[in-house]
Amino acid sequence: MNDRREEQSTSDTQSSNDPAARRLLQAWKTPTGWRYWSAVNNSEVGLWYTLTAFAFFLFGGLLALVMRIQLAVPENDFISADTYNQVFTLHGSVMMFLFAVPILEAISIMLLPEMMGARDLPFPRLSAFGFWCFVIGGVFVCGSIFFDAAPRGGWFMYPPMTTQYQDGVGVDIWLLGLSFIEIASIAAAVELIVGVLKCRPPGMRLNLIPLYAWYILVVAVMILFAFPPLIAGDVLMELERALDWPFFDASRGGDPLLWQHLFWIFGHPEVYIVFLPSIALIAMIVPTFSRTPMVGYSWVVLAAVGTGFLSFGLWVHHMFTTGLPGITIGIFSAASQAVAIPTGVQLFCFIATLLVGRVVRSVSLLFVLAGLATFIIGGLTGVMVAVAPFDYQAHDTYFVVGHLHYVLIGGTIFPIVAGFYYYYPFVTGKQLSERLGYWIFGLMFIGFNVNFFPMHLAGLQGMARRIYTYSPMLNVGWLNMISTIGAFVLASGILVFLIDVLRPKGKQPLVKRNVWNAGTLEWSGQVPDRPWGIRSIPVIESRYPLWDQDDFIAKVDAGQFYLPDAAEGLRETLVTTTVDARPIQCLRVPGPTFLTLWAAIFTGGVFIFGTFHWYVAAGLSGVLAFATIITWLWTGTSIIPEKDQKEIGLGVTLPIYVSGPNAVGWWAMFITMMGDMTAFVSLIFGYYFYWTIHEDFPPKDIAGPGTFWPLASLAAGVAAWGLTVVTKKRNSANDARGFYAASIASLVCAAVGIVALWMGIWQHDMDPTEHVYPAIVCAIALWTGLHLLVGSVMHLYCIARRLAGRMTNRFDADIVNVTLYWHFAVITIAVTALTLGLFPVAVGR
Ligand code: HEM
Ligand SMILES: [Cu+2]
């Protein structure tokens, strides 16, 4: 990193004779010294994020080696059974939550803006916040193993084992630590969706965007719908562990299968969430080294979208052995095999591109091919286990461990290494050694297959997964020894790779610009790269502008396109329309700050102290987190500009401040609330799930909240929502008194709504520890009450903004976004009230 900065400063002096470039550089300059860590620019945060996620991969890999040593020979006593449980649980969890998802989001944060000629993503501080949450949460979860306190329940944490038979804080660390990280992942997803939809360069219509951006859009949407069910499950399980609310306890009406559903509604899409972005890297690398545009662009896009959709309908194939009805199994088995179709379409498009093109040999391409081949094998064993009778045999054996690693390593590690080779010059201006690259490839590819292929055989011989040792009678000792040798060969390949990535390359000359002769926008950057991203934001007419548009780079460099200057010394980027990318706003993005770091530390405190039941400390930390986040919003968002409009070059003038559906903040709120609704729907799913599995639910002999109070809270909630709409209208009419009056009235109604929810529970003496019915009612009421509370706090915020002159009738983004929040909140309260208050009546309880 130091190398990079020195080179940057020498090249900075070169542009110092152009005043516009100088101003641009000044605005986008990365802070130095200890303030470096306050940077929020996508290239810095993206790089930290990538390296950190890679570090977690290495940690997960070390754990894998420990397992392989233990399993090398039968009846080994290298580590104890309990340690082994912690090691495999942490290995799986780290690889999935701290490596695979984050690294792909990290790479996207780093690359996307450059691919789209954006100076930055719309919410740089949100990316930085997400990164810091990730570091804190990750270190917390990983650190637990050094205190013999790591989770032991496997990466899918099935109850009742994890709710009734495992003491200690391990499970809580998993639940709270990983929820915290999932929230960071969702934050990054929001950022990426808004980035792809709203921050493209002029002219880059939806059918011209780089394939990478398409994939990331699909994946980010998937994260938005996949993670919330898991978070809902985490909430339920933590409530069961901390307060003894029996969601998964069959003796009190709960059902452990609810967890399995919620987990796998997340868990299966998760596989595609980590696989599609890797394919996205491949989709950038293949055309470059074939010297031809991607064959079947639209097919690839459709297939990516199709895979995304389908992946939400497959989760039950992880539950074939739980005794579900045959028809369910049949449907999910067929659906699981169907996913091979869109996957195949993508693979064929890649192969076709390689065939029609003129292929240039490179290590990067070699890893691409290895990834595809490996993934195909994993896909085929996947189709095998999707056949239910086969799965009855293979379930919970090493066959599955072999299968899942072919998919995951073929689908993530090899493509990511390919991406490292490909994008290394983009990030550092230097190249990785191609000669070493072939060695690394050999070690990794051979090591990988020697490691994982025998696992299929061991599994078919009857070796169960998640066991710390096995009997010599099973006759799988030799297979395991081969696996272990393979693991070490693979690890040595990764080690050499690491050395090549990290070794100082001071003497190596800088690469020439666009070293691979690629066609996509990110390669237009100067070497070394400038913090501004791109000298001027170009007009795009082709999917491969560097190949197809005349004098493209020269025009970009000469500042002939948009925003070639930073006249006010502020960071700015363009916002365009969603479909055809017409410029609509010159967006000012905030610069470096430590607020995001503090916000992450305090938010982390809530989760970490919560794990140890230090509720006072957790509460204090929560107050500090709240204060920090409010300060961040107050000082960094919806800032009233000094002028209304700004000329952005080429004779175009755009507004600086926008609110409503054209604004990125509005989109972020909308998207966040979609995720929020998904979590809520998952809770409601729980309620109706219990109804489907029990003859008697809601149970006749256990009191519910009655009809009156839920309907009263509905009335209050609807009033609060209506008054919010009035608040917004009064603000637009510049009627200050009306605004304050409506806002306060809405607050009061929300408070009444919360009290009414609570009254229903209190008046009927509902005891959530008695049975799952009161427990799920309380959980839903808690969720809804919390949303009313947040809505009230938002009102207070808007009142303060207006009082302070930071919100006016023209500059009204705050209240517009709050109103949007309330549109969703009123749906939440309506569903809650109807479910809790009327459903029992409807089914005759
Ligand atoms: C780098 C080389 C790797 C090796 C040698 C390795 C080895 C292993 C072994 C031996 C197990 C089985 C544990 C058991 O059932 O007793 C396992 C489980 C697992 N691995 Fe890996 N692994 C590697 C990389 C990865 C990667 C890259 C991922 C994901 C991106 C991953 C995800 C998982 C998951 C999800 C499990 C299941 C954990 C559980 O049963 O709860 N592994 N791995
Ligand atoms: Cu699956």
Side-chain angles (χ1 to χ4, degrees), residues 50-64 91 94-95 98-100 103 134 142 409 412-413 416-417 444 490 494-495 497-498:
T50 308
L51 294 178
T52 312
F54 198 77
F56 284 125
F57 164 70
L58 296 177
F59 179 72
L62 285 179
L63 295 177
H91 164 77
V94 165
M95 287 298 190
L98 299 180
F99 161 66
I103 199 165
F134 169 63
C142 291
I409 295 188
T412 62
I413 303 296
I416 287 173
V417 173
M444 284 182 69
L490 172 59
I494 294 171
L495 186 70
F497 173 67
L498 195 67

Side-chain angles (χ1 to χ4, degrees), residues 404-610:
L404 73 91
H405 286 88
Y406 268 81
V407 182
L408 287 169
I409 295 188
T412 62
I413 303 296
F414 289 141
I416 287 173
V417 173
F420 262 83
Y421 274 91
Y422 185 63
Y423 282 113
Y424 196 84
F426 168 85
V427 176
T428 64
K430 302 286 171 78
Q431 243 174 310
L432 291 173
S433 155
E434 290 275 306
R435 197 166 48 84
L436 263 184
Y438 287 105
W439 280 100
I440 294 168
F441 173 79
L443 287 171
M444 284 182 69
F445 190 67
I446 295 171
F448 165 77
N449 282 293
V450 173
N451 181 356
F452 289 102
F453 191 79
M455 288 189 187
H456 297 101
L457 305 178
L460 292 178
Q461 292 246 33
M463 178 170 167
R465 73 191 274 202
R466 298 178 165 178
I467 43 149
Y468 82 111
T469 194
Y470 49 90
S471 151
M473 313 269 278
L474 204 59
N475 200 19
V476 289
W478 62 283
L479 287 168
N480 275 289
M481 182 51 93
I482 295 176
S483 273
T484 300
I485 293 171
F488 277 87
V489 176
L490 172 59
S492 65
I494 294 171
L495 186 70
V496 182
F497 173 67
L498 195 67
I499 293 172
D500 196 28
V501 168
L502 295 182
R503 94 192 136 84
K505 299 183 188 58
K507 275 196 258 98
Q508 196 194 99
L510 286 176
V511 294
K512 71 176 179 38
R513 203 163 174 179
N514 189 7
V515 3
W516 310 116
N517 296 318
T520 41
L521 200 49
E522 72 273 22
W523 293 102
S524 62
Q526 280 136 294
V527 181
D529 196 18
R530 306 298 149 79
W532 62 45
I534 191 162
R535 178 68 185 79
S536 60
I537 299 179
V539 179
I540 297 298
E541 296 152 11
S542 148
R543 285 175 193 152
Y544 298 91
L546 269 56
W547 287 343
D548 301 339
Q549 289 181 234
D550 296 335
D551 290 332
F552 185 76
I553 289 191
K555 285 188 198 153
V556 166
D557 278 1
Q560 285 187 9
F561 292 112
Y562 295 111
L563 283 181
D565 194 352
E568 295 87 18
L570 295 171
R571 297 185 169 196
E572 291 164 332
T573 192
L574 282 188
V575 175
T576 51
T577 52
T578 316
V579 176
D580 48 6
R582 272 178 299 104
I584 48 175
Q585 183 194 2
C586 169
L587 175 73
R588 291 192 168 156
V589 290
T593 177
F594 277 112
L595 278 173
T596 49
L597 174 56
W598 285 113
I601 292 175
F602 295 136
T603 317
V606 177
F607 285 90
I608 294 172
F609 294 133

